[in-house]
């Protein structure tokens, strides 16, 4: 009678390891950091091709989007004595620098601007190239060193002024869109018209979209300012002409590709009669739409010397308003008040994922047994008002949330 010998336990384990179902292998890989996933492409041709599929890229993004530890921040700055913008990526929640990337394509330093960041993609553009009349726009994923130049704008053959270029993500179709708002001379050169166009990554093409609004929107207040992307829509601070309280929010829903208007709350609450706080900056506060007021103006437009001392002493005071339930006007609430002391001006860069306000302050600060006027970047805990100085030598041009991803791994250069 013959007996079949069982293989040693170690051999069985090795066989099981070598015969893991491919879908389980991909599930494991989707949980790894970007750098590790890129290395594992070298294991086999099957792994290489599977990792670059849209399905795997999407699964990797979904898993890491739900992992708060992967939500970092970036700043774009110009390093002293080096004429290239620098992507300073991978700042953790304490703003300890993890990595640094130079932008891998030609940009004139003074004309490199950001159109936001979304799911690891950074959108950058350059102002007009005078000889070609082009406004180059790029999608760049620094984590995987992939960059894609977008096709030329529909309006590239005409003279136009760029008012805003912004990046957004449509979750329903797992697609990326770039909205371009332009101003150009009206027919017969009677004034100006505002036009908009939309780029879709899946089709790699632009198309015109209409801006049909009930009010006459003055677009200059949000010129050269980045928008805020939250709840599936882009948002800009805008202005309605000939209105007592002219400020409003212009929105763009990426699901139906339509512009809309949102009213701001009564921002002159708790202020002397005749004064109102001035909306200054839109941002995302812990996943909700928010805005900051900075300074005050007379509602009537007539100078009232009675308020001169108040306006002077509160010139750098701000309120932070948050919309508790998106789209519900009654849910606006004023959550925080901050008064900045001993500063000449302040500029806001937005909020971290934990709700800390990033601020550029220009003031007089002690330095080597003396005092010197300079810019500093600080994070401000809005609940405790505790500030942390990051110690940057140069003030950043742009700040945004950022996460590592594999987006563009299946395309780009």
């Amino acid at each position: 009678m013959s007996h079949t010998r069982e293989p040693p336990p170690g051999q069985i384990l090795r066989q099981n390891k070598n015969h893991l179902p491919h879908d389980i292998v991909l599930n494991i890989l989707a949980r790894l950091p970007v750098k590790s996933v890129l290395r594992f492409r070298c294991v086999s041709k099957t792994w290489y091709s599977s990792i670059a599929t849209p399905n795997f890229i999407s699964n990797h993004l979904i898993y890491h989007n739900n992992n708060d530890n992967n939500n970092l921040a970036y700043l774009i700055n110009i390093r002293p004595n080096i004429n290239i913008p620098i992507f300073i990526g991978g700042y953790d929640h304490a703003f300890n620098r993890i990595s640094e990337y130079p932008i891998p394509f030609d940009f004139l330093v003074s004309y490199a601007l950001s159109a936001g960041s979304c799911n690891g993609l950074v959108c950058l553009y350059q102002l007009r190239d005078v000889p070609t009349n082009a406004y180059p726009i790029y999608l760049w994923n620094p984590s995987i060193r992939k960059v894609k130049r977008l096709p030329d704008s529909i309006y590239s053959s005409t003279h136009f002024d760029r008012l805003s270029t912004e990046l957004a993500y449509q979750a329903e179709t797992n697609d990326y869109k770039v909205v371009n708002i332009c101003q150009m001379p009206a027919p017969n050169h009677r004034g100006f018209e505002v036009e908009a166009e939309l780029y879709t990554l899946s089709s790699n093409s632009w198309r015109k979209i209409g801006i049909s609004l009930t009010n006459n929107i003055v677009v200059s207040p949000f010129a050269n300012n980045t928008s805020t992307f939250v709840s599936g829509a882009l948002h800009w601070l805008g202005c309605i002409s000939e209105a007592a309280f002219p400020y409003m929010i212009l929105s763009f829903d990426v699901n139906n590709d339509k512009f809309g208007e949102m009213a701001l709350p009564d921002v002159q609450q708790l202020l002397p009669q005749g004064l109102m706080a001035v909306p200054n900056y839109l941002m995302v506060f812990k996943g909700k739409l928010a805005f900051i007021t900075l300074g005050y103006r007379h509602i009537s437009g007539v100078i009232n010397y009675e308020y001169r001392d108040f306006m002077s002493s509160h010139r750098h005071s701000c309120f932070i308003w948050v919309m508790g339930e998106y789209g519900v006007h009654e849910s606006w609430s004023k959550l925080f008040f901050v008064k900045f002391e001993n500063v000449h001006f302040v500029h806001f860069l937005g909020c971290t994922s934990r709700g800390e306000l990033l601020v550029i302050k220009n003031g007089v600060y002690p330095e080597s047994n003396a005092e010197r006027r300079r810019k500093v970047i600080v994070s401000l805990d809005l609940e405790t008002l505790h500030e942390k100085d990051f110690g940057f030598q140069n003030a950043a041009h742009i700040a945004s949330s950022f996460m590592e991803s594999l987006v563009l791994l299946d395309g780009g250069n």
Side-chain angles (χ1 to χ4, degrees):
M1 184 175 179
S2 61
H3 296 278
T4 303
R5 294 182 58 190
E6 293 184 0
Q11 184 176 343
I12 295 176
L13 183 61
R14 285 193 297 272
Q15 289 177 346
N16 290 337
K17 283 184 176 179
N18 293 333
H19 292 85
L20 279 176
H22 189 57
D23 58 341
I24 294 180
V25 171
L26 293 182
N27 188 274
I28 295 172
L29 291 176
R31 297 168 181 265
L32 299 178
V34 167
K35 186 175 181 179
S36 299
V37 173
L38 296 179
R39 291 174 60 192
F40 278 120
R41 290 189 303 170
C42 302
V43 171
S44 68
K45 291 182 179 180
T46 302
W47 283 27
Y48 186 93
S49 59
S50 298
I51 288 172
T53 61
N55 186 57
F56 180 84
I57 294 172
S58 178
N59 289 337
H60 183 272
L61 178 65
I62 292 171
Y63 176 80
H64 290 276
N65 232 336
N66 296 326
N67 181 0
D68 289 338
N69 292 328
N70 193 46
N71 292 322
L72 309 174
Y74 80 80
L75 301 176
I76 291 182
N77 208 334
I78 300 174
R79 182 185 287 172
N81 302 322
I82 300 180
N83 292 326
I84 58 172
I86 295 294
F87 177 95
I88 307 176
Y91 276 80
D92 61 18
H93 294 298
F95 266 78
N96 298 309
R97 186 164 58 191
I98 298 173
S99 56
E100 181 175 286
Y101 302 92
I103 293 178
F105 38 92
D106 292 334
F107 258 139
L108 295 175
V109 173
S110 57
Y111 298 123
L113 300 173
S114 170
S117 171
C118 190
N119 293 343
L121 276 187
V122 179
C123 186
L124 295 172
Y125 66 91
Q126 183 174 328
L127 294 183
R128 186 192 308 275
D129 183 337
V130 176
T132 63
N133 197 42
Y135 286 83
I137 302 175
Y138 298 87
L139 294 179
W140 176 39
N141 186 336
S143 303
I144 61 174
R145 295 177 172 81
K146 286 275 189 174
V147 62
K148 177 181 179 62
R149 175 169 174 162
L150 274 54
D152 288 340
S153 163
I154 295 174
Y155 306 109
S156 59
S157 60
T158 61
H159 180 81
F160 69 92
D161 294 322
R162 184 198 304 272
L163 297 176
S164 182
T165 298
E166 304 299 336
L167 173 67
Y169 174 65
Q170 186 179 12
E172 293 180 2
T173 58
N174 189 30
D175 206 355
Y176 295 85
K177 298 181 176 182
V178 177
V179 179
N180 200 19
I181 302 177
C182 309
Q183 179 176 271
M184 58 196 65
N188 301 321
H189 301 285
R190 294 178 179 177
F192 293 90
E193 289 185 345
V194 177
E195 303 278 352
E197 58 182 344
L198 180 68
Y199 169 84
T200 305
L201 181 60
S202 59
S203 65
N204 191 35
S205 62
W206 293 93
R207 63 182 178 88
K208 293 183 180 181
I209 51 176
I211 304 181
S212 179
L213 301 172
T214 57
N215 290 300
N216 182 19
I217 305 299
V218 179
V219 295
S220 57
F222 60 77
N224 299 322
N225 288 332
T226 57
S227 71
T228 298
F229 183 65
V230 63
S231 298
L234 290 166
H235 305 82
W236 298 263
L237 273 177
C239 198
I240 302 172
S241 61
E242 300 179 358
F245 180 73
Y247 305 103
M248 49 75 70
I249 294 177
L250 176 69
S251 65
F252 178 80
D253 191 323
V254 298
N255 293 310
N256 58 25
D257 296 342
K258 293 186 180 297
F259 286 93
E261 303 168 56
M262 299 176 68
L264 289 169
D266 182 6
V267 298
Q268 54 259 38
Q269 294 177 12
L270 304 180
L271 292 178
Q273 186 177 5
L275 289 182
M276 68 177 176
V278 180
N280 177 268
Y281 188 86
L282 279 179
M283 64 183 185
V284 180
F285 178 78
K286 295 185 177 180
K288 299 181 183 297
L289 181 63
F291 73 93
I292 302 175
T293 66
L294 181 65
Y296 306 93
R297 57 166 286 192
H298 296 278
I299 295 178
S300 63
V302 178
I303 296 177
N304 189 329
Y305 292 101
E306 177 184 352
Y307 302 137
R308 184 167 54 183
D309 292 340
F310 176 88
M311 295 177 66
S312 177
S313 62
H314 289 76
R315 189 160 55 99
H316 297 114
S317 298
C318 66
F319 295 103
I320 290 88
W321 292 75
V322 179
M323 179 177 268
E325 184 179 351
Y326 183 77
V328 179
H329 181 265
E330 293 74 19
S331 68
W332 281 113
S333 59
K334 186 167 55 181
L335 295 187
F336 306 102
F337 170 76
V338 181
K339 184 176 181 180
F340 295 97
E341 303 282 358
N342 302 318
V343 294
H344 298 284
F345 78 85
V346 295
H347 176 70
F348 305 109
L349 293 172
C351 272
T352 68
S353 59
R354 297 188 177 186
E356 297 161 320
L357 184 63
L358 299 181
V359 188
I360 297 178
K361 302 197 305 179
N362 190 331
V364 178
Y365 304 95
E367 187 173 291
S368 301
N369 299 323
E371 289 187 342
R372 186 169 71 91
R373 180 172 172 174
R374 60 185 176 90
K375 293 180 182 178
V376 297
I377 302 180
V378 301
S379 68
L380 176 66
D381 187 315
L382 293 173
E383 295 182 349
T384 65
L385 297 183
H386 173 73
E387 286 188 1
K388 178 182 177 181
D389 186 348
F390 296 136
F392 295 140
Q393 293 182 353
N394 292 337
H397 292 72
I398 302 155
S400 178
S401 61
F402 177 74
M403 64 173 293
E404 293 187 339
S405 77
L406 298 171
V407 180
L408 281 190
L409 188 61
D410 55 342
N413 300 319

